[in-house]
Amino acid sequence: MALLSSPLKGSNNELAINNKKAALTEIIDVLRAVCHAHRLPLALTWIPCCYSEGIGDETGRIRIKEGHTSSNEKCVLCIEESACYINDKEVGGFVHACAEHHLEEGQGLAGKALQSNHPFFYTDVKAYDIQ
């Protein structure tokens, strides 16, 4: 008995890109609904990334974390700008400032969640001490 199969359309990379786009679209829809329901000015999406220090004149490098990190990399959180929702245009500069920095494990609310590997909630983020 001969089994015929057709080759898969698209590569694994294309599938991953399409899955990421679909996930980011869903995230932005949820963030939009939450911001409107609770009258929040913005919602940020932090994603795990790997950071490696530059050697010599080389600058540091950040990449999206996929699988295990190498021994010379550390796990940090970076803003995924395409999945952030801005409900108040006056805070747009804050989002861009956040995108230029990363959080290490334990830093801020997002860093606490990364450190614990569980959601981290705080009732009043204005009163939260980031140290």
Side-chain angles (χ1 to χ4, degrees), residues 13-86:
N13 193 32
E14 287 175 22
L15 291 172
I17 290 170
N18 289 338
N19 286 342
K20 180 181 176 184
K21 285 179 183 178
L24 294 177
T25 299
E26 188 173 339
I27 289 168
I28 201 76
D29 289 344
V30 169
L31 295 182
R32 181 183 304 111
V34 169
C35 282
H36 287 281
H38 297 284
R39 297 185 186 140
L40 299 173
L42 78 154
L44 304 177
T45 300
W46 293 86
I47 60 171
C49 298
C50 297
Y51 175 77
S52 58
E53 298 275 337
I55 301 171
D57 292 339
E58 211 178 276
T59 57
R61 174 174 81 91
I62 293 181
R63 65 176 178 82
I64 294 175
K65 183 179 178 184
E66 297 170 351
H68 300 289
T69 58
S70 68
S71 61
N72 64 339
E73 293 180 317
K74 62 181 170 181
C75 189
V76 296
L77 291 172
C78 301
I79 291 286
E80 174 60 57
E81 284 188 88
S82 66
C84 293
Y85 183 74
I86 301 172

Side-chain angles (χ1 to χ4, degrees), residues 46 77 103-115 118 120 128:
W46 293 86
L77 291 172
L103 294 175
E104 294 184 20
E105 287 189 42
Q107 274 188 315
L109 296 174
K112 291 283 187 194
L114 176 65
Q115 187 176 47
H118 295 338
F120 186 84
Y128 184 76

Side-chain angles (χ1 to χ4, degrees), residues 88-111:
D88 179 351
K89 298 297 179 200
E90 290 183 20
V91 297
F94 178 76
V95 175
H96 296 299
C98 288
E100 294 175 1
H101 297 86
H102 59 267
L103 294 175
E104 294 184 20
E105 287 189 42
Q107 274 188 315
L109 296 174

